[in-house]
């Protein structure tokens, strides 16, 4: 199979979109498929997993490169002649790629990963929200299939008028994120730094930006016997630091690979603060690491956290409920361990191998449908004969 992956984000930018694209490319390479990547020009490598990376002009917006419309996109697609287009979180660049694929007769799969409704609510953009959803509908209705990562995002898309929908979550690396990592030297050293006097370590991993609501951690002020650890960086770093001034916080900065796995392994409780997540990949990584999760009852975490089994969900606007949930787990070590074990069991069937296999199935379905559509159009009624479809 020949797959053209068009992504609004790629290396060196690291976020949920980039990570899922990399895992898909790894899977395609391991199973003998051919692929290319088209992404904004922001210093990406020449190739990844043996696949060529094509960069197109971009501008910077809120520290993110945004791909601009370019005639290169259709030329690249035409030269590669893909069997299917994979549009990762399509916006400007992805919209252009889907339109080009339609002109070339290439079926497309769009991966939805941006909570437009949540962004609009947070910024009070009533009229703009309606316009944004019209744009989302226009982009995704151009694709043969849109894959939503959660029940909440699928509902938002259906409400907006997107008709060809299915579900596709995200995989998790079950070997890298594992409870046994607690016994590694790196995790033990970090644990000693975070919990020198036996404190319960409450950890957050993710971008530090307005939509992530990391400042919610201020509601934990005054809890005794705890320390906070924050992994990540972003435009709200200084603002959040001001909100948490005087609290026992360790800022661990950006981490990836084994460093990130060691950070999870050094935590006791994982907190997910944002209420606008379409999925919540860090929730899966925390569960794979054997941690209980505290998260808002909103967006992606609704599908990932079973309240009272592998974590606790709280009303998204209720910081007192957030504090109470964290306090319960701080006080009860046995409950933390029970929920952490349940979280690990919950993700055992969600490896990237399994999830990417599902994605290949979606590719095959749109390709077969496209072939059937072409065959149906080729059967034209002729005078004195019958047409079959």
């Amino acid at each position: 199979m020949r797959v053209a992956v068009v992504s609004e984000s790629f290396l060196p930018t690291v976020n949920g979109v980039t990570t899922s694209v990399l895992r898909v490319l790894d899977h395609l390479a391991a199973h003998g498929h051919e692929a290319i990547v088209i992404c904004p020009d922001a210093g990406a490598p020449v190739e990844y997993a043996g696949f060529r990376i094509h960069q197109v002009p971009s501008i910077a917006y809120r520290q993110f490169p945004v791909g601009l419309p370019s005639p290169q996109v259709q030329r690249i697609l035409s030269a590669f002649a893909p069997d299917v287009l994979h549009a990762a979180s399509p916006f400007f660049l992805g919209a252009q790629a889907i339109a080009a694929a339609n002109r070339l007769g290439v079926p497309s799969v769009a991966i939805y990963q941006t909570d437009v409704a949540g962004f609009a609510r947070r910024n009070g953009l009533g009229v703009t929200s309606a316009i944004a959803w019209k744009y989302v509908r226009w982009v995704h209705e151009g694709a043969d299939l849109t894959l939503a990562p959660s029940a909440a995002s699928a509902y938002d898309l259906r409400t907006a008028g997107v008709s060809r929908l299915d579900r596709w979550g995200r995989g998790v690396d079950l070997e890298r994120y594992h409870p046994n990592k607690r016994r590694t030297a790196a995790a033990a050293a970090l644990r000693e730094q975070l919990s020198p006097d036996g404190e319960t370590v409450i950890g957050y991993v993710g971008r530090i930006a307005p939509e992530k609501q990391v400042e919610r951690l201020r509601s934990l002020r005054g809890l005794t016997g705890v320390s906070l650890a924050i992994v990540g960086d972003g435009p709200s770093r200084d603002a959040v630091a001001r909100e948490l001034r005087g609290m026992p916080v360790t800022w661990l900065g950006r981490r990836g690979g084994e460093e990130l796995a060691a950070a999870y392994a050094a935590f006791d409780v994982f907190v997910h603060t944002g209420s606008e997540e379409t999925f919540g990949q860090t929730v899966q990584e925390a569960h794979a690491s054997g941690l209980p999760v505290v998260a808002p009852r909103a967006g992606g975490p609704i599908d990932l956290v079973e309240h009272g089994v592998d974590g606790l969900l709280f009303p998204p606007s209720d910081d007192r409920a957030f504090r109470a949930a964290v306090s319960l787990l701080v006080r009860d070590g046995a409950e933390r361990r029970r929920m952490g074990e349940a979280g690990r069991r919950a993700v055992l069937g969600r490896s990237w191998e399994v999830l990417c296999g599902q994605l290949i199935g979606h590719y095959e379905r749109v390709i077969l449908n496209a072939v059937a559509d072409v065959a149906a159009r080729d059967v034209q009624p002729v005078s004195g004969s019958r047409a079959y479809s």
Side-chain angles (χ1 to χ4, degrees), residues 12 85 133 140 218 231 292 335:
L85 173 80
W133 273 118
H140 285 268
R218 68 191 169 206
V231 175
E335 188 72 347

Side-chain angles (χ1 to χ4, degrees), residues 280-296:
Q281 179 66 358
T282 57
V283 171
Q284 288 201 136
E285 292 169 354
H287 272 158
S289 303
L291 296 173
V293 173
V294 177

